[in-house]
Amino acid sequence: MTEQLLAYLLDDLSPADRATIETRLETDPAWRQEFERLRECLSGGNDPEDCGCAELAIAEPQPPADLVQRTCSLVESGEFSLRELMCDPPRTGHHWRLADFAVAAGVFLAIAAVTSPGLLQSREASRRAICANKLRALGTEFVAYAERNNRQLPPIALGQNAGMYAVALADQCGMDRELFAELLSCPATQLGEDVANGRVRLRVPTQADLLRAHGPVLIALRQRMGGSYAYRFGYFDPQGELHHVRFVGSDSMPVLADAPAVTQAFRSTPHGPCGQNVLYQSMSVRFVAGCQAPNGDELFLNLAGQHAAGLNRDDLVLGRSEFEPLGTIFPVGDE
């Protein structure tokens, strides 16, 4: 709760996540109490020790009583220089003294001490928590899909890309596609940042959209339709037949995870060097440090070291949205 509220106060959430927090603030007294406490702490309205931040306490000299007012007036004006602050009278009629600057410097140093690395770590923890919550929400859609389809998860056939899982869930589970697209965006990824800043519009295409699209347009759809996540391919048997994955509710079989970067090693980097949230068939979400499942199996590479479908039923591989079971990407054709 504290991490999410900090992200809210720092304006580090998507519109959908902000709306979720605001709903909690309206309905949950505990959330409102913690929100007010954190807001007071960040604004300096409480004693630092009351906020659990005793290191923020600043010894003498005490700042002038009107220091905040004078600072805000100057910042709002947008027209000042260091020389003006030190030598010329501000609009309040008072002069800035060297002691004023000493106090202000102390305040900024205290803020820097808190925000680096503590606040940055809190920001990362908040993003990781948001991403994990989105994976859990997607997990409920996988369960609904499996109940409708004889305990099968969305299949990825030869020639299809891994991101087709999102199309299958959206088609069968009835969730509004715009809301569904919100779940596909992890704020810790570049795609998540682009979506939050309005540089990219993430959408889940329909089957008709895919049939109409060609060349670069189709490539763009395939790259983004799976969002920030990698979905499990099937596996090949010794005869080379591709098999799909049954839903058995296993706590050790991954279904979805933060997608890896397209490199030779295919490592996931949104939450640090090779660390990712992983959704399992049990619909639990756990953070996995490193690039291996608990049984030692590589999450994003098969036994042959390929970002492709597994080579047996125990060879679990999670594929980026644009990749196919054979480890290929749909070629750009003519429009």
mmCIF file of all heavy atoms in Angstrom, residues 272-311:
data_model
loop_
_atom_site.group_PDB
_atom_site.id
_atom_site.type_symbol
_atom_site.label_atom_id
_atom_site.label_comp_id
_atom_site.label_asym_id
_atom_site.label_seq_id
_atom_site.Cartn_x
_atom_site.Cartn_y
_atom_site.Cartn_z
ATOM 1 N N GLY A 272 15.646 -5.053 -13.293
ATOM 2 C CA GLY A 272 17.038 -5.321 -12.959
ATOM 3 C C GLY A 272 17.614 -6.350 -13.920
ATOM 4 O O GLY A 272 16.906 -6.910 -14.749
ATOM 5 N N PRO A 273 18.917 -6.612 -13.826
ATOM 6 C CA PRO A 273 19.551 -7.558 -14.745
ATOM 7 C C PRO A 273 19.032 -8.977 -14.553
ATOM 8 O O PRO A 273 19.287 -9.611 -13.538
ATOM 9 C CB PRO A 273 21.038 -7.448 -14.404
ATOM 10 C CG PRO A 273 21.070 -6.948 -12.998
ATOM 11 C CD PRO A 273 19.881 -6.050 -12.858
ATOM 12 N N CYS A 274 18.284 -9.429 -15.505
ATOM 13 C CA CYS A 274 17.737 -10.787 -15.516
ATOM 14 C C CYS A 274 16.917 -11.082 -14.258
ATOM 15 O O CYS A 274 17.280 -11.899 -13.422
ATOM 16 C CB CYS A 274 18.839 -11.830 -15.669
ATOM 17 S SG CYS A 274 18.207 -13.411 -16.283
ATOM 18 N N GLY A 275 15.813 -10.415 -14.139
ATOM 19 C CA GLY A 275 14.864 -10.678 -13.072
ATOM 20 C C GLY A 275 13.481 -10.331 -13.578
ATOM 21 O O GLY A 275 13.307 -9.333 -14.282
ATOM 22 N N GLN A 276 12.487 -11.150 -13.295
ATOM 23 C CA GLN A 276 11.171 -10.937 -13.860
ATOM 24 C C GLN A 276 10.068 -11.502 -12.965
ATOM 25 O O GLN A 276 10.281 -12.441 -12.205
ATOM 26 C CB GLN A 276 11.042 -11.584 -15.239
ATOM 27 C CG GLN A 276 11.390 -13.060 -15.313
ATOM 28 C CD GLN A 276 12.879 -13.310 -15.353
ATOM 29 O OE1 GLN A 276 13.588 -12.708 -16.151
ATOM 30 N NE2 GLN A 276 13.363 -14.187 -14.500
ATOM 31 N N ASN A 277 8.880 -10.870 -13.050
ATOM 32 C CA ASN A 277 7.674 -11.442 -12.471
ATOM 33 C C ASN A 277 7.221 -12.584 -13.362
ATOM 34 O O ASN A 277 7.226 -12.465 -14.595
ATOM 35 C CB ASN A 277 6.561 -10.402 -12.392
ATOM 36 C CG ASN A 277 6.799 -9.378 -11.296
ATOM 37 O OD1 ASN A 277 7.146 -9.729 -10.187
ATOM 38 N ND2 ASN A 277 6.612 -8.106 -11.622
ATOM 39 N N VAL A 278 6.812 -13.688 -12.744
ATOM 40 C CA VAL A 278 6.364 -14.861 -13.500
ATOM 41 C C VAL A 278 4.994 -15.288 -12.978
ATOM 42 O O VAL A 278 4.798 -15.453 -11.767
ATOM 43 C CB VAL A 278 7.356 -16.036 -13.371
ATOM 44 C CG1 VAL A 278 6.867 -17.234 -14.194
ATOM 45 C CG2 VAL A 278 8.747 -15.616 -13.839
ATOM 46 N N LEU A 279 4.047 -15.465 -13.901
ATOM 47 C CA LEU A 279 2.720 -15.999 -13.583
ATOM 48 C C LEU A 279 2.730 -17.499 -13.846
ATOM 49 O O LEU A 279 3.096 -17.947 -14.935
ATOM 50 C CB LEU A 279 1.658 -15.330 -14.462
ATOM 51 C CG LEU A 279 0.252 -15.931 -14.407
ATOM 52 C CD1 LEU A 279 -0.411 -15.651 -13.061
ATOM 53 C CD2 LEU A 279 -0.611 -15.384 -15.550
ATOM 54 N N TYR A 280 2.331 -18.267 -12.841
ATOM 55 C CA TYR A 280 2.296 -19.726 -12.964
ATOM 56 C C TYR A 280 0.859 -20.207 -13.159
ATOM 57 O O TYR A 280 -0.100 -19.458 -12.967
ATOM 58 C CB TYR A 280 2.906 -20.376 -11.718
ATOM 59 C CG TYR A 280 4.387 -20.093 -11.566
ATOM 60 C CD1 TYR A 280 4.821 -18.943 -10.908
ATOM 61 C CD2 TYR A 280 5.343 -20.943 -12.101
ATOM 62 C CE1 TYR A 280 6.175 -18.667 -10.782
ATOM 63 C CE2 TYR A 280 6.697 -20.674 -11.979
ATOM 64 C CZ TYR A 280 7.114 -19.528 -11.324
ATOM 65 O OH TYR A 280 8.442 -19.239 -11.208
ATOM 66 N N GLN A 281 0.716 -21.497 -13.541
ATOM 67 C CA GLN A 281 -0.622 -22.042 -13.767
ATOM 68 C C GLN A 281 -1.481 -22.006 -12.514
ATOM 69 O O GLN A 281 -2.712 -21.999 -12.602
ATOM 70 C CB GLN A 281 -0.520 -23.478 -14.294
ATOM 71 C CG GLN A 281 -0.173 -23.576 -15.766
ATOM 72 C CD GLN A 281 -0.540 -24.927 -16.341
ATOM 73 O OE1 GLN A 281 -1.170 -25.760 -15.690
ATOM 74 N NE2 GLN A 281 -0.157 -25.154 -17.580
ATOM 75 N N SER A 282 -0.868 -22.005 -11.351
ATOM 76 C CA SER A 282 -1.633 -21.892 -10.107
ATOM 77 C C SER A 282 -2.194 -20.488 -9.932
ATOM 78 O O SER A 282 -2.904 -20.208 -8.981
ATOM 79 C CB SER A 282 -0.727 -22.226 -8.914
ATOM 80 O OG SER A 282 0.349 -21.288 -8.841
ATOM 81 N N MET A 283 -1.852 -19.579 -10.870
ATOM 82 C CA MET A 283 -2.226 -18.162 -10.886
ATOM 83 C C MET A 283 -1.504 -17.374 -9.790
ATOM 84 O O MET A 283 -1.895 -16.259 -9.450
ATOM 85 C CB MET A 283 -3.748 -17.981 -10.765
ATOM 86 C CG MET A 283 -4.493 -18.587 -11.946
ATOM 87 S SD MET A 283 -3.933 -17.937 -13.550
ATOM 88 C CE MET A 283 -3.167 -19.386 -14.296
ATOM 89 N N SER A 284 -0.453 -17.957 -9.240
ATOM 90 C CA SER A 284 0.413 -17.208 -8.342
ATOM 91 C C SER A 284 1.439 -16.451 -9.176
ATOM 92 O O SER A 284 1.810 -16.881 -10.275
ATOM 93 C CB SER A 284 1.115 -18.144 -7.359
ATOM 94 O OG SER A 284 1.986 -19.035 -8.058
ATOM 95 N N VAL A 285 1.886 -15.311 -8.655
ATOM 96 C CA VAL A 285 2.911 -14.508 -9.312
ATOM 97 C C VAL A 285 4.099 -14.401 -8.366
ATOM 98 O O VAL A 285 3.950 -13.996 -7.219
ATOM 99 C CB VAL A 285 2.394 -13.105 -9.673
ATOM 100 C CG1 VAL A 285 3.519 -12.249 -10.259
ATOM 101 C CG2 VAL A 285 1.246 -13.194 -10.666
ATOM 102 N N ARG A 286 5.277 -14.785 -8.863
ATOM 103 C CA ARG A 286 6.490 -14.708 -8.047
ATOM 104 C C ARG A 286 7.585 -14.007 -8.841
ATOM 105 O O ARG A 286 7.671 -14.158 -10.062
ATOM 106 C CB ARG A 286 6.959 -16.106 -7.632
ATOM 107 C CG ARG A 286 5.945 -16.885 -6.824
ATOM 108 C CD ARG A 286 6.568 -18.085 -6.138
ATOM 109 N NE ARG A 286 7.067 -19.081 -7.058
ATOM 110 C CZ ARG A 286 6.336 -20.056 -7.575
ATOM 111 N NH1 ARG A 286 5.035 -20.140 -7.282
ATOM 112 N NH2 ARG A 286 6.876 -20.923 -8.389
ATOM 113 N N PHE A 287 8.402 -13.274 -8.111
ATOM 114 C CA PHE A 287 9.539 -12.633 -8.762
ATOM 115 C C PHE A 287 10.691 -13.626 -8.798
ATOM 116 O O PHE A 287 11.078 -14.180 -7.769
ATOM 117 C CB PHE A 287 9.965 -11.369 -8.023
ATOM 118 C CG PHE A 287 11.097 -10.650 -8.698
ATOM 119 C CD1 PHE A 287 10.878 -9.893 -9.837
ATOM 120 C CD2 PHE A 287 12.384 -10.742 -8.200
ATOM 121 C CE1 PHE A 287 11.910 -9.225 -10.464
ATOM 122 C CE2 PHE A 287 13.433 -10.077 -8.817
ATOM 123 C CZ PHE A 287 13.193 -9.321 -9.954
ATOM 124 N N VAL A 288 11.221 -13.852 -9.982
ATOM 125 C CA VAL A 288 12.321 -14.798 -10.169
ATOM 126 C C VAL A 288 13.583 -14.010 -10.485
ATOM 127 O O VAL A 288 13.662 -13.334 -11.514
ATOM 128 C CB VAL A 288 12.028 -15.796 -11.304
ATOM 129 C CG1 VAL A 288 13.230 -16.696 -11.546
ATOM 130 C CG2 VAL A 288 10.797 -16.625 -10.973
ATOM 131 N N ALA A 289 14.554 -14.061 -9.578
ATOM 132 C CA ALA A 289 15.843 -13.425 -9.825
ATOM 133 C C ALA A 289 16.699 -14.409 -10.611
ATOM 134 O O ALA A 289 16.845 -15.560 -10.221
ATOM 135 C CB ALA A 289 16.522 -13.069 -8.502
ATOM 136 N N GLY A 290 17.253 -13.951 -11.720
ATOM 137 C CA GLY A 290 17.920 -14.866 -12.626
ATOM 138 C C GLY A 290 16.980 -15.238 -13.747
ATOM 139 O O GLY A 290 15.831 -14.793 -13.801
ATOM 140 N N CYS A 291 17.452 -16.055 -14.664
ATOM 141 C CA CYS A 291 16.672 -16.370 -15.874
ATOM 142 C C CYS A 291 16.262 -17.830 -15.938
ATOM 143 O O CYS A 291 16.001 -18.357 -17.021
ATOM 144 C CB CYS A 291 17.484 -15.995 -17.111
ATOM 145 S SG CYS A 291 17.940 -14.253 -17.152
ATOM 146 N N GLN A 292 16.198 -18.478 -14.787
ATOM 147 C CA GLN A 292 15.837 -19.887 -14.755
ATOM 148 C C GLN A 292 14.625 -20.105 -13.865
ATOM 149 O O GLN A 292 14.448 -19.417 -12.858
ATOM 150 C CB GLN A 292 16.993 -20.746 -14.242
ATOM 151 C CG GLN A 292 18.204 -20.769 -15.172
ATOM 152 C CD GLN A 292 19.316 -21.656 -14.637
ATOM 153 O OE1 GLN A 292 19.419 -21.876 -13.432
ATOM 154 N NE2 GLN A 292 20.148 -22.158 -15.530
ATOM 155 N N ALA A 293 13.785 -21.065 -14.255
ATOM 156 C CA ALA A 293 12.672 -21.488 -13.422
ATOM 157 C C ALA A 293 13.226 -22.206 -12.186
ATOM 158 O O ALA A 293 14.408 -22.579 -12.159
ATOM 159 C CB ALA A 293 11.758 -22.413 -14.227
ATOM 160 N N PRO A 294 12.400 -22.401 -11.151
ATOM 161 C CA PRO A 294 12.897 -23.083 -9.948
ATOM 162 C C PRO A 294 13.523 -24.451 -10.209
ATOM 163 O O PRO A 294 14.398 -24.880 -9.464
ATOM 164 C CB PRO A 294 11.623 -23.209 -9.092
ATOM 165 C CG PRO A 294 10.790 -22.043 -9.511
ATOM 166 C CD PRO A 294 11.035 -21.903 -10.979
ATOM 167 N N ASN A 295 13.104 -25.145 -11.281
ATOM 168 C CA ASN A 295 13.677 -26.458 -11.585
ATOM 169 C C ASN A 295 14.972 -26.369 -12.382
ATOM 170 O O ASN A 295 15.530 -27.383 -12.807
ATOM 171 C CB ASN A 295 12.662 -27.316 -12.348
ATOM 172 C CG ASN A 295 12.301 -26.727 -13.713
ATOM 173 O OD1 ASN A 295 12.793 -25.659 -14.091
ATOM 174 N ND2 ASN A 295 11.450 -27.424 -14.448
ATOM 175 N N GLY A 296 15.461 -25.146 -12.618
ATOM 176 C CA GLY A 296 16.710 -24.977 -13.341
ATOM 177 C C GLY A 296 16.554 -24.785 -14.829
ATOM 178 O O GLY A 296 17.540 -24.539 -15.536
ATOM 179 N N ASP A 297 15.329 -24.891 -15.335
ATOM 180 C CA ASP A 297 15.086 -24.742 -16.771
ATOM 181 C C ASP A 297 15.136 -23.264 -17.159
ATOM 182 O O ASP A 297 14.612 -22.406 -16.445
ATOM 183 C CB ASP A 297 13.714 -25.325 -17.118
ATOM 184 C CG ASP A 297 13.424 -25.283 -18.605
ATOM 185 O OD1 ASP A 297 14.326 -25.587 -19.392
ATOM 186 O OD2 ASP A 297 12.287 -24.926 -18.966
ATOM 187 N N GLU A 298 15.785 -22.954 -18.290
ATOM 188 C CA GLU A 298 15.813 -21.586 -18.785
ATOM 189 C C GLU A 298 14.398 -21.132 -19.151
ATOM 190 O O GLU A 298 13.667 -21.862 -19.832
ATOM 191 C CB GLU A 298 16.724 -21.472 -20.011
ATOM 192 C CG GLU A 298 18.213 -21.540 -19.695
ATOM 193 C CD GLU A 298 18.737 -20.192 -19.222
ATOM 194 O OE1 GLU A 298 18.071 -19.186 -19.457
ATOM 195 O OE2 GLU A 298 19.823 -20.180 -18.610
ATOM 196 N N LEU A 299 14.024 -19.926 -18.727
ATOM 197 C CA LEU A 299 12.667 -19.441 -18.995
ATOM 198 C C LEU A 299 12.451 -19.086 -20.456
ATOM 199 O O LEU A 299 11.347 -19.260 -20.981
ATOM 200 C CB LEU A 299 12.378 -18.218 -18.121
ATOM 201 C CG LEU A 299 12.148 -18.471 -16.634
ATOM 202 C CD1 LEU A 299 12.133 -17.154 -15.877
ATOM 203 C CD2 LEU A 299 10.847 -19.227 -16.410
ATOM 204 N N PHE A 300 13.487 -18.568 -21.136
ATOM 205 C CA PHE A 300 13.294 -18.005 -22.468
ATOM 206 C C PHE A 300 14.064 -18.741 -23.566
ATOM 207 O O PHE A 300 14.022 -18.325 -24.720
ATOM 208 C CB PHE A 300 13.703 -16.527 -22.462
ATOM 209 C CG PHE A 300 13.010 -15.725 -21.399
ATOM 210 C CD1 PHE A 300 13.729 -15.129 -20.374
ATOM 211 C CD2 PHE A 300 11.635 -15.572 -21.405
ATOM 212 C CE1 PHE A 300 13.099 -14.392 -19.389
ATOM 213 C CE2 PHE A 300 10.981 -14.837 -20.416
ATOM 214 C CZ PHE A 300 11.723 -14.248 -19.410
ATOM 215 N N LEU A 301 14.753 -19.810 -23.215
ATOM 216 C CA LEU A 301 15.507 -20.591 -24.203
ATOM 217 C C LEU A 301 15.190 -22.070 -24.027
ATOM 218 O O LEU A 301 15.056 -22.560 -22.894
ATOM 219 C CB LEU A 301 17.016 -20.365 -24.040
ATOM 220 C CG LEU A 301 17.532 -18.932 -24.220
ATOM 221 C CD1 LEU A 301 19.017 -18.864 -23.871
ATOM 222 C CD2 LEU A 301 17.284 -18.438 -25.633
ATOM 223 N N ASN A 302 15.090 -22.796 -25.154
ATOM 224 C CA ASN A 302 14.866 -24.236 -25.049
ATOM 225 C C ASN A 302 16.194 -24.966 -24.838
ATOM 226 O O ASN A 302 17.251 -24.342 -24.703
ATOM 227 C CB ASN A 302 14.093 -24.771 -26.261
ATOM 228 C CG ASN A 302 14.877 -24.622 -27.565
ATOM 229 O OD1 ASN A 302 16.103 -24.406 -27.569
ATOM 230 N ND2 ASN A 302 14.176 -24.739 -28.679
ATOM 231 N N LEU A 303 16.133 -26.282 -24.814
ATOM 232 C CA LEU A 303 17.327 -27.066 -24.524
ATOM 233 C C LEU A 303 18.420 -26.879 -25.563
ATOM 234 O O LEU A 303 19.596 -27.148 -25.294
ATOM 235 C CB LEU A 303 16.957 -28.548 -24.414
ATOM 236 C CG LEU A 303 16.075 -28.924 -23.206
ATOM 237 C CD1 LEU A 303 15.661 -30.377 -23.274
ATOM 238 C CD2 LEU A 303 16.806 -28.630 -21.901
ATOM 239 N N ALA A 304 18.030 -26.422 -26.757
ATOM 240 C CA ALA A 304 19.009 -26.163 -27.818
ATOM 241 C C ALA A 304 19.509 -24.726 -27.782
ATOM 242 O O ALA A 304 20.250 -24.301 -28.670
ATOM 243 C CB ALA A 304 18.401 -26.484 -29.189
ATOM 244 N N GLY A 305 19.116 -23.959 -26.761
ATOM 245 C CA GLY A 305 19.546 -22.578 -26.653
ATOM 246 C C GLY A 305 18.817 -21.646 -27.604
ATOM 247 O O GLY A 305 19.321 -20.556 -27.907
ATOM 248 N N GLN A 306 17.617 -22.021 -28.046
ATOM 249 C CA GLN A 306 16.846 -21.214 -28.992
ATOM 250 C C GLN A 306 15.637 -20.584 -28.303
ATOM 251 O O GLN A 306 15.038 -21.182 -27.399
ATOM 252 C CB GLN A 306 16.360 -22.089 -30.159
ATOM 253 C CG GLN A 306 17.467 -22.785 -30.921
ATOM 254 C CD GLN A 306 16.928 -23.868 -31.838
ATOM 255 O OE1 GLN A 306 15.961 -24.564 -31.507
ATOM 256 N NE2 GLN A 306 17.539 -24.007 -32.989
ATOM 257 N N HIS A 307 15.287 -19.385 -28.749
ATOM 258 C CA HIS A 307 14.060 -18.747 -28.286
ATOM 259 C C HIS A 307 12.924 -19.292 -29.149
ATOM 260 O O HIS A 307 12.449 -18.662 -30.088
ATOM 261 C CB HIS A 307 14.176 -17.228 -28.420
ATOM 262 C CG HIS A 307 13.053 -16.471 -27.778
ATOM 263 N ND1 HIS A 307 12.796 -16.511 -26.426
ATOM 264 C CD2 HIS A 307 12.116 -15.634 -28.310
ATOM 265 C CE1 HIS A 307 11.759 -15.739 -26.147
ATOM 266 N NE2 HIS A 307 11.324 -15.205 -27.269
ATOM 267 N N ALA A 308 12.504 -20.501 -28.824
ATOM 268 C CA ALA A 308 11.542 -21.248 -29.638
ATOM 269 C C ALA A 308 10.845 -22.260 -28.737
ATOM 270 O O ALA A 308 11.137 -22.366 -27.538
ATOM 271 C CB ALA A 308 12.256 -21.945 -30.795
ATOM 272 N N ALA A 309 9.894 -23.007 -29.310
ATOM 273 C CA ALA A 309 9.149 -24.002 -28.540
ATOM 274 C C ALA A 309 10.095 -25.016 -27.917
ATOM 275 O O ALA A 309 11.202 -25.277 -28.415
ATOM 276 C CB ALA A 309 8.140 -24.701 -29.446
ATOM 277 N N GLY A 310 9.651 -25.608 -26.802
ATOM 278 C CA GLY A 310 10.465 -26.586 -26.098
ATOM 279 C C GLY A 310 10.670 -27.858 -26.904
ATOM 280 O O GLY A 310 9.943 -28.138 -27.871
ATOM 281 N N LEU A 311 11.646 -28.656 -26.477
ATOM 282 C CA LEU A 311 11.969 -29.898 -27.184
ATOM 283 C C LEU A 311 11.408 -31.126 -26.480
ATOM 284 O O LEU A 311 11.566 -32.250 -26.966
ATOM 285 C CB LEU A 311 13.488 -30.018 -27.342
ATOM 286 C CG LEU A 311 14.150 -28.854 -28.096
ATOM 287 C CD1 LEU A 311 15.643 -29.100 -28.261
ATOM 288 C CD2 LEU A 311 13.491 -28.631 -29.455
#
